[in-house]
Amino acid sequence: MSSLPRPWQRLRRGLEHDYRIAKVRSDIFADPRTGHEHPRLLIDTPDWVNILALTPENHIVLVRQFRFGTCDSTLEIPGGLVEAGEDPAVAAARELEEETGYVPGRVEALGSVRPNPALQGNTCYSFLARDCVKTHGGRPDEGEDLVVELHPYADVPRLIREGHITHAIIVAAFHLARLHADAAR
């Protein structure tokens, strides 16, 4: 059995910049092997949720939206930030309804991932929603411009293989769904 690496000691916290959805700073840590100081960029953000929403006809509810990091539109499942004190399952259902107008019949937890532990300490929780029904046109947050698309759920592997779905935590959510389905068999 291998031993764990030694923890790095935080020597100083850097100046924090608050961007509403994330706080960014550069802290100074000591290398446990040498004691040398190293700056490390940290991004503090709330936990995230995403939700694979299936209609009674077994179509997946997807959203297409512009992403500033790539300056391009991406095809994703609905999701967003978990509000302070909010249960992640409640947040996932809320985000689904806000972004798409669909309301789930039932919601199941699929698991969670750490989006980027090198820079972030948050968790992204993934859920599966079944029997989703459209009740209104959606109420996206200020600063969101979404186009809702329905695709047969069976098309998801092709959408990923062909590069239509490329967002890493979205691909991870589909993988968690597959693991969940395999475990249920």
Side-chain angles (χ1 to χ4, degrees):
M1 182 170 171
S2 66
S3 63
L4 295 174
R6 292 175 280 183
W8 289 55
Q9 180 184 3
R10 185 188 328 258
L11 301 175
R12 293 183 297 286
R13 289 176 66 94
L15 179 63
E16 189 170 84
H17 302 278
D18 191 340
Y19 297 101
R20 192 180 67 82
I21 62 168
K23 295 176 182 173
V24 179
R25 68 177 191 278
S26 179
D27 291 357
I28 306 298
F29 288 85
D31 183 322
R33 293 178 300 113
T34 65
H36 292 129
E37 294 184 6
H38 294 273
R40 293 295 184 250
L41 178 68
L42 299 172
I43 302 171
D44 289 331
T45 184
D47 288 339
W48 302 334
V49 292
N50 56 39
I51 188 162
L52 284 76
L54 298 176
T55 67
E57 300 79 28
N58 212 34
H59 284 87
I60 182 91
V61 180
L62 299 172
V63 293
R64 192 175 295 278
Q65 62 184 315
F66 184 84
R67 291 301 194 181
F68 296 95
T70 57
C71 287
D72 198 8
S73 293
T74 62
L75 189 60
E76 306 175 8
I77 57 178
L81 300 176
V82 178
E83 302 293 335
E86 187 177 31
D87 179 85
V90 171
R94 174 184 52 75
E95 287 289 342
L96 172 63
E97 183 177 357
E98 286 175 2
E99 292 186 357
T100 69
Y102 279 85
V103 174
R106 64 186 190 278
V107 175
E108 304 168 30
L110 294 174
S112 63
V113 295
R114 304 301 291 271
N116 188 350
L119 305 174
Q120 298 165 225
N122 70 320
T123 300
C124 181
Y125 298 92
S126 295
F127 295 90
L128 173 64
R130 296 185 187 276
D131 301 320
C132 297
V133 177
K134 189 162 186 77
T135 61
H136 57 83
R139 294 183 282 278
D141 290 337
E142 176 72 24
E144 284 185 320
D145 184 30
L146 307 168
V147 176
V148 177
E149 297 183 15
L150 295 180
H151 291 267
Y153 189 58
D155 286 355
V156 168
R158 179 187 58 79
L159 292 170
I160 293 170
R161 275 193 319 274
E162 292 178 359
H164 300 285
I165 297 174
T166 59
H167 192 309
I169 61 172
I170 304 308
V171 173
F174 284 116
H175 181 66
L176 289 171
R178 177 63 183 261
L179 293 174
H180 189 74
D182 288 351
R185 289 186 210 150

